[in-house]
Amino acid sequence: MTWLMKVKTISCDELANQICSLAYHVMCIDTRSMLQYNDNHVRDAINICCSKIIRRKLQYNRISVVDLIKNNNESQEEDLWNRLHQVVLYDEASWWGDGHRFNSQHALYILVEKLKQFVPSVALLDGGFSEFAYKFPKLCDSKIKSNCPLLSISTPCASAGSINCPPTKILPFLYLGCEEDALSEDILKTCHVKYVLNASHSAVDSPYCTTGRYLRIPIKDNSSENIVAWFQTAFDFIDKVKESDDHILIHCVGGVSRSATIAIAYVMKHFSLSLD
């Protein structure tokens, strides 16, 4: 008997019915990359893309799957775990009835085993997100328009005004963007951003942040700058935003170097990740 035979599978039709039911509480976990998730995902799904480090921490109980979910779910109610009927995990396009096998190091294996300790039922979605999105596009939540290419996590939306491409959502409360994003009142309102961290020496100040909600870290875009020296200042400012349940945009000029470095450093701090 393979591990997969012990795990329930669910069809796209069944999941759609559960999502639309007021009496049935289901949580969807998107195990694809953050970029794929930000592009489009099942409505209200949360993203847990298990890196090697996260898998190791889960395996050795250095982090709880519940804490991992809380860190990625900005609207989780306190009694959610008591009301949940089922958790459904999905990837891009796997059909679990085709004899696919896992070993104990596979991210889905680890997540399912950990989730079984907290919820009555854990299931894998047959066909993955691509099948669900094809059949039920109205039950999906697209964060980035299809004409905004997902080249990398810090792809600058330099033409955001013309193609309506928002900043990248790194954490539930943290966005990464470029100078033009900070100068766009519409983009800031769409992302519910009230705080801006300008990680540049030359980018124009955002006119849409009140006193105390704007921070400039005057880093020049050259290799001689010691950006690490500014990490704690940035972390303190971002933590203030997190504690106030607001949203922050981190940007430089293009959104590809200085601001991305600070965002990555904060994510590592947020999840207690090391360089190994």
Side-chain angles (χ1 to χ4, degrees):
M1 178 179 292
T2 65
W3 168 80
L4 185 60
M5 294 174 67
K6 300 177 183 178
V7 181
K8 177 181 178 181
T9 58
I10 185 173
S11 70
C12 292
D13 291 334
E14 290 174 308
L15 178 58
N17 288 334
Q18 291 180 6
I19 291 174
C20 295
S21 171
L22 297 178
Y24 198 90
H25 300 285
V26 59
M27 174 189 290
C28 293
I29 296 181
D30 186 319
T31 65
R32 303 173 302 155
S33 72
M34 186 182 295
L35 289 178
Q36 289 174 304
Y37 172 82
N38 281 341
D39 180 39
N40 204 359
H41 55 262
V42 174
R43 181 194 297 173
D44 295 329
I46 64 172
N47 181 226
I48 298 181
C49 181
C50 281
S51 66
K52 182 178 180 180
I53 295 173
I54 293 295
R55 290 201 302 270
R56 190 184 307 158
K57 285 179 177 288
L58 283 170
Q59 284 178 302
Y60 293 99
N61 297 316
R62 293 173 183 168
I63 185 173
S64 163
V65 69
V66 174
D67 291 335
L68 195 59
I69 289 171
K70 285 181 178 179
N71 287 336
N72 288 274
N73 187 1
E74 61 183 337
S75 58
Q76 180 175 307
E77 299 93 342
E78 289 297 324
D79 64 340
L80 175 64
W81 292 97
N82 296 326
R83 296 186 293 108
L84 268 181
H85 293 99
Q86 181 165 250
V87 173
V88 175
L89 297 93
Y90 65 85
D91 63 3
E92 182 59 30
S94 291
W95 292 90
W96 306 112
D98 63 4
H100 190 92
R101 295 170 182 266
F102 295 101
N103 62 46
S104 61
Q105 302 301 312
H106 195 286
L108 283 176
Y109 179 97
I110 296 168
L111 283 173
V112 169
E113 289 299 300
K114 295 299 181 181
L115 284 165
K116 282 181 178 179
Q117 303 172 28
F118 298 98
V119 292
S121 176
V122 182
L124 303 176
L125 179 64
D126 255 338
F129 177 74
S130 60
E131 179 72 8
F132 188 87
Y134 175 76
K135 298 183 73 172
F136 303 102
K138 292 184 179 179
L139 293 181
C140 297
D141 184 9
S142 178
K143 295 298 184 184
I144 301 178
K145 303 300 181 182
S146 60
N147 57 350
C148 179
L150 296 177
L151 299 180
S152 71
I153 194 170
S154 57
T155 299
C157 296
S159 53
S162 60
I163 66 173
N164 243 351
C165 175
T168 299
K169 190 175 186 179
I170 305 298
L171 293 171
F173 58 92
L174 191 156
Y175 289 83
L176 174 64
C178 60
E179 180 180 14
E180 289 194 14
D181 296 329
L183 298 178
S184 169
E185 186 176 15
D186 289 340
I187 286 178
L188 295 181
K189 285 183 177 179
T190 298
C191 297
H192 306 291
V193 167
K194 295 182 179 179
Y195 290 78
V196 171
L197 194 163
N198 181 349
S200 80
H201 184 268
S202 59
V204 178
D205 292 336
S206 174
Y208 304 111
C209 289
T210 58
T211 302
R213 295 189 174 188
Y214 180 82
L215 174 67
R216 176 190 288 276
I217 295 178
I219 310 169
K220 296 180 180 179
D221 193 13
N222 63 61
S223 59
S224 64
E225 284 287 322
N226 182 13
I227 192 171
V228 176
W230 291 98
F231 278 175
Q232 194 57 54
T233 300
F235 294 166
D236 290 344
F237 188 68
I238 298 169
D239 282 338
K240 180 176 74 172
V241 178
K242 180 177 181 291
E243 291 166 4
S244 63
D245 291 325
D246 280 314
H247 296 75
I248 182 172
L249 170 70
I250 303 177
H251 77 92
C252 47
V253 176
V256 298
S257 180
R258 292 162 288 181
S259 56
T261 299
I262 290 175
I264 292 169
Y266 185 81
V267 168
M268 294 179 69
K269 169 185 175 292
H270 188 71
F271 291 110
S272 301
L273 304 179
S274 63
L275 289 175
D276 62 339

